């Protein structure tokens, strides 16, 4: 009897995540966040930290409220560039991955340049693109830079997924005389889906980073996105507004991430190992 | 609707033909297969396989059983020699008309598709619409006893159930020939016995011709009317043992004197096959 009780207790101390109800999994981190904000507010007030060093959350909230229309307009610019870059990277990466899974020669030609584009820091390419394109069309230059950053994970992940088909399933399709379209649609693409979704999760974050970094590099006066609001506020020592813009950027990044996690779960939950433990 | 609606049951399917005039269904003539690595996997093999036979390929690992099966299925090309289908017509691509079902060693199911869609695959690839295929898929599912699992995903099934889905998928095109590559090797003995009996029922009900690769002497004797023992390096058939017992076979046969006698003979041949391989090392 005693040993059994002990065992139950020790199990209760180290529960796995799936034993925790969803409501608790959301409530606890939220409560922790609120408590930290409260602590921040109190400390800043008690220690009388100057607001241009670290403004209290209440002041940041106020700045967000006061400047909401202009910040929202900037958020929209950054969001639009991010989404466009992501969609172009997705479509382009998918297309090139399909082509390079089809043709070894195409893959051999494409990959060195894709890798060069990937390993060269975007900050270093940015001035060039900004001179070539950005003088007349700043947003287009930002879009190009964000796309370059977001593109590679889609390409490399999808290529891997398309090429890692079970050889016996391949033989099965051959046995039944599958056309190459049927093979692509019914075998290669479904097989690549988990890889593609993992790539999309990385790319979504990178598209935002690309859009922000590019705008930083683009520099003074020209930007209209959230990155520029951060720079502008820093220049004016309007630190609460800078924090407000930062908070919006984080919220944007988080939304993109959770949207893609949701999509991944939705598409894979019924068959893929990555989603298995959540269900069982 | 049943699978194979045209097959006339126990009596209707019997063709009255003089024995000597019957052409083999498959004629393997001097076939060799050398892989690009230089490995001679199948050495000059001659073999006639008649309609309605249940043939087992028995042999040590690496002796070319899978290779021979893949050659018959057209999944690999022979390096020399021919594989002919004397009684069949050929389609436009030069493939023999009698439809083949192939069961791999692993269930080889698409994890993203339901059991229903996995079985639908061969029909889908020949551009048969889903609605038109439903009855046949249901019948194939029923023939392996999995009617209730049409909407399950492969990962929700046990190993034996997955194997049965794989067999249903091979049967759904109503093939004349079933090629099976160690289909039950990964299963426990009890499941394996049950699936052996299921397979024999399907073999009789649909008048199939079966080529069955196995490592198991007992399985090969229990199932087949001919056991072909292969030896390795180079892979070739060293014994062709007829198993005369009539079908249907059941536990009576498994415990009978002729069964254990045939197992003993097949074991001896298998040992000879393995001895051959060892001498060459
Ligand atoms: N694709 C391949 N390329 C090169 N060599 C191969 C290939 N497939 C098989 N072989 C070789 O050919 C020989 C026969 O292989 P095969 O798979 O036909 O044997 P098997 O009798 O089916 O063995 P097992 O019982 O272990 O499945 C082996 O020595 C193997 O190494
Ligand atoms: Mg094999």
């Amino acid at each position: 009897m005693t040993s059994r009780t002990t065992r139950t207790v020790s199990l209760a101390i180290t529960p796995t995540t799936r034993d925790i109800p969803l409501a608790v999994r959301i409530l606890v981190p939220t409560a922790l966040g609120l408590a930290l904000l409260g602590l921040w507010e109190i400390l800043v007030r008690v220690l009388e930290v100057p607001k241009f060093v670290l403004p209290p959350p209440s002041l940041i909230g106020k700045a967000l409220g006061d400047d909401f229309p202009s910040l929202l307009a900037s958020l929209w610019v950054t969001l639009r560039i991010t989404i466009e870059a992501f969609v172009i990277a997705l479509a382009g990466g998918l297309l090139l991955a399909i082509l390079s899974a089809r043709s070894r020669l195409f893959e051999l030609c494409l990959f060195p340049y894709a890798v060069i584009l990937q390993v060269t820091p975007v900050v270093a390419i940015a001035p060039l693109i900004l001179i070539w394109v950005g003088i007349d069309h700043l947003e287009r230059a930002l879009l190009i830079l964000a796309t370059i950053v977001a593109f590679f994970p889609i390409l490399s992940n999808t290529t891997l997924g398309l090429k890692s088909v079970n050889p016996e399933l391949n033989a099965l399709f051959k046995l039944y005389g599958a056309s190459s379209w049927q093979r692509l649609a019914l075998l290669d693409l479904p097989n690549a889906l988990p890889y593609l979704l993992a790539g999309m999760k990385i790319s979504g974050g990178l598209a935002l980073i690309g859009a922000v970094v590019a705008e930083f590099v683009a520099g003074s006066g020209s930007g209209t996105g959230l990155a520029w609001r951060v720079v502008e506020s820093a220049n004016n020592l309007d630190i609460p507004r800078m924090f407000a813009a930062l908070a919006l950027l984080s919220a944007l990044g988080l939304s993109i991430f959770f949207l893609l996690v949701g999509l991944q779960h939705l598409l894979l939950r019924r068959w893929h190992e990555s989603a298995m433990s959540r269900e069982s | 609707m049943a699978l194979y609606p045209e097959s006339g049951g126990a009596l209707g399917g019997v063709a009255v033909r003089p024995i000597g005039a019957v052409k083999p269904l498959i004629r393997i003539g001097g076939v060799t297969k050398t892989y690009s690595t230089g490995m001679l996997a199948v050495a000059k093999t001659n073999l006639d396989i008649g309609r309605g036979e249940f043939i087992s390929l028995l042999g040590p690992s690496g002796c070319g059983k899978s290779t021979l099966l893949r050659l018959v299925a057209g999944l690999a090309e022979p390096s020399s020699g021919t594989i002919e289908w004397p009684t069949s017509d050929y389609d436009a691509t030069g493939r023999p008309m009698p439809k083949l079902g192939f069961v791999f060693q692993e269930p080889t199911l698409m994890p993203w598709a339901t059991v229903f869609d996995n079985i639908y695959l061969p029909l889908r690839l020949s551009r048969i619409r889903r609605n038109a295929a439903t009855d046949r898929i249901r019948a194939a599912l029923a023939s392996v006893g999995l009617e209730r699992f049409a909407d399950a995903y492969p990962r929700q099934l046990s190993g034996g159930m997955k194997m049965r889905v794989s067999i249903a998928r091979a049967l759904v095109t109503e093939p004349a020939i079933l090629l099976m590559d160690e289909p039950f090797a990964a299963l426990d003995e009890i499941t394996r016995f049950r699936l052996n009996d299921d397979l024999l029922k399907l073999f009789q009900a649909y008048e199939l011709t079966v080529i069955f690769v196995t490592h198991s002497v007992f399985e090969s004797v229990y199932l087949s009317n001919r056991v072909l023992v292969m030896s390795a390096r180079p892979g070739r058939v060293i014994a062709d043992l007829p198993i005369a017992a009539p079908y249907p076979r059941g536990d009576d046969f498994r415990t009978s004197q002729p069964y254990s006698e045939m197992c003993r003979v097949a074991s001896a041949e298998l040992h000879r096959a393995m001895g051959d391989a060892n001498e060459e090392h």
Side-chain angles (χ1 to χ4, degrees):
Chain A
M1 261 339 249
T2 17
S3 71
R4 186 174 263 195
T5 324
T6 324
R7 195 170 210 185
T8 320
V9 170
S10 73
L11 271 179
I13 290 171
T14 54
T16 56
T17 44
R18 67 172 169 215
D19 297 330
I20 305 173
L22 187 66
V24 178
R25 263 191 282 168
I26 293 173
L27 277 177
V28 171
T30 311
L32 181 69
L34 288 176
L36 284 176
L37 283 180
L39 192 69
W40 175 355
E41 182 83 37
I42 292 166
L43 283 180
V44 167
R45 279 167 195 266
V46 170
L47 301 176
E48 292 179 355
V49 181
K51 73 174 181 190
F52 56 84
V53 174
L54 183 64
S58 58
L59 216 58
I60 296 171
K62 189 170 168 298
L64 190 60
D66 290 349
D67 246 349
F68 199 65
S70 87
L71 285 176
L72 197 67
S74 298
L75 177 73
W76 172 238
V77 171
T78 302
L79 177 66
R80 203 175 55 216
I81 294 174
T82 305
I83 292 177
E84 284 172 3
F86 179 68
V87 170
I88 295 172
L90 180 61
L94 200 57
L95 187 73
L96 292 180
I98 290 172
L99 289 176
S100 53
R102 282 300 161 93
S103 154
R104 185 91 182 99
L105 187 66
F106 185 87
E107 187 188 3
L108 283 174
C109 295
L110 171 72
F111 259 79
Y113 300 102
V115 172
I116 289 174
L117 219 50
Q118 158 75 7
V119 296
T120 312
V122 69
V123 192
I125 323 175
L128 201 57
I129 304 283
L130 285 164
I131 290 170
W132 285 345
V133 185
I135 293 174
D136 297 328
H137 309 279
L138 179 69
E139 254 197 64
R140 201 177 295 169
L142 300 186
L143 179 61
I144 291 173
L145 287 164
T147 307
I148 289 175
V149 184
F151 167 75
F152 193 75
I154 304 266
L155 174 65
S156 65
N157 274 34
T158 311
T159 307
L160 183 64
L162 289 172
K163 285 164 67 172
S164 64
V165 170
N166 175 343
E168 307 218 307
L169 272 176
N170 253 326
L172 190 78
F173 273 64
K174 183 178 177 196
L175 185 77
Y176 291 116
S179 70
S180 60
W181 278 115
Q182 286 177 324
R183 189 182 288 272
L184 180 68
L186 300 177
L187 181 60
D188 296 347
L189 283 178
N191 190 71
L193 184 64
Y195 298 81
L196 171 65
L197 286 164
M200 282 167 69
K201 234 166 33 178
I202 302 170
S203 275
L206 286 181
L208 178 60
I209 292 175
V212 168
V213 169
E215 206 185 352
F216 271 121
V217 179
S220 61
S222 46
T224 48
L226 268 181
W228 181 246
R229 295 288 156 253
V230 174
V231 177
E232 186 186 65
S233 310
N235 289 346
N236 299 339
L237 273 186
D238 188 352
I239 306 304
R241 186 159 172 273
M242 182 176 147
F243 266 94
L246 269 180
L248 283 181
L249 269 178
S250 300
L252 185 55
L254 268 182
S255 317
I256 292 172
F257 181 77
F258 280 113
L259 223 67
L260 290 172
V261 168
L263 182 70
Q264 188 178 33
H265 184 67
L266 196 73
L267 292 178
L268 301 185
R269 83 199 130 108
R270 277 179 302 184
W271 65 272
H272 198 252
E273 289 85 350
S274 67
M276 241 159 94
S277 60
R278 294 197 196 181
E279 244 189 52
S280 55
Chain B
M1 194 201 273
L3 285 165
Y4 298 87
E6 75 281 4
S7 69
L11 293 172
V14 175
V16 185
R17 253 196 245 133
I19 298 289
V22 176
K23 286 185 187 168
L25 179 64
I26 309 169
R27 171 163 285 160
I28 299 172
V31 163
T32 65
K33 175 68 184 179
T34 313
Y35 283 110
S36 52
T37 53
M39 165 63 70
L40 179 58
V42 174
K44 219 161 172 57
T45 296
N46 292 294
L47 202 61
D48 278 1
I49 294 166
R51 186 178 297 279
E53 286 203 279
F54 195 125
I55 304 229
S56 282
L57 291 177
L58 178 66
S61 187
C63 69
K65 304 181 295 293
S66 298
T67 303
L68 193 55
L69 207 62
R70 294 170 62 86
L71 287 168
V72 172
L75 292 173
E77 295 302 318
S79 309
S80 66
T82 53
I83 295 176
E84 289 171 60
W85 303 78
T87 60
S88 318
D89 299 327
Y90 291 81
D91 66 13
T93 63
R95 289 164 56 91
M97 287 297 266
K99 280 178 281 185
L100 298 176
F102 201 108
V103 179
F104 296 88
Q105 181 163 347
E106 302 292 322
T108 315
L109 303 176
M110 301 178 292
W112 54 84
T114 60
V115 166
F116 186 95
D117 284 332
N118 266 289
I119 297 175
Y120 175 40
L121 180 76
L123 302 178
R124 185 171 192 177
L125 291 176
S126 26
R127 301 195 167 72
I128 295 173
R129 293 228 323 283
R130 212 182 153 85
N131 287 339
T134 303
D135 287 343
R136 281 161 75 180
I137 297 166
R138 299 264 168 225
L141 269 171
S143 70
V144 295
L146 287 176
E147 302 94 320
R148 285 174 36 240
F149 293 90
D151 297 325
Y153 282 83
R155 70 170 169 86
Q156 297 167 310
L157 306 179
S158 72
M161 289 158 86
K162 281 184 211 158
M163 213 58 236
R164 282 190 279 173
V165 174
S166 176
I167 293 170
R169 179 182 59 194
L171 290 175
V172 78
T173 57
E174 303 180 354
I177 302 144
L178 200 53
L179 306 176
M180 308 179 89
D181 193 353
E182 302 186 41
F184 309 137
L187 304 177
D188 64 278
E189 189 114 309
I190 297 167
T191 311
R192 182 197 273 236
F193 279 5
R194 198 170 56 234
L195 290 180
N196 279 174
D197 287 329
D198 291 349
L199 177 59
L200 282 186
K201 283 198 198 102
L202 294 169
F203 166 66
Q204 283 205 282
Y206 300 150
E207 297 168 6
L208 297 169
T209 304
V210 181
I211 307 180
F212 187 95
V213 171
T214 179
H215 278 134
S216 162
V217 171
F218 306 109
E219 194 173 48
S220 69
V221 172
Y222 183 66
L223 292 173
S224 21
N225 71 325
R226 252 169 101 192
V227 175
L228 303 178
V229 183
M230 290 183 71
S231 80
R233 292 181 202 88
R236 61 189 191 279
V237 177
I238 62 155
D240 186 342
L241 310 170
I243 312 289
Y247 298 97
R249 295 173 181 176
D251 283 340
D252 292 352
F253 177 56
R254 221 193 280 278
T255 51
S256 71
Q257 169 70 38
Y259 172 79
S260 41
E261 175 58 22
M262 282 321 300
C263 287
R264 201 187 56 71
V265 173
S267 278
E269 291 295 345
L270 187 59
H271 273 108
R272 192 159 72 83
M274 293 163 79
D276 284 0
N278 290 338
E279 275 161 31
E280 283 168 32
H281 274 195

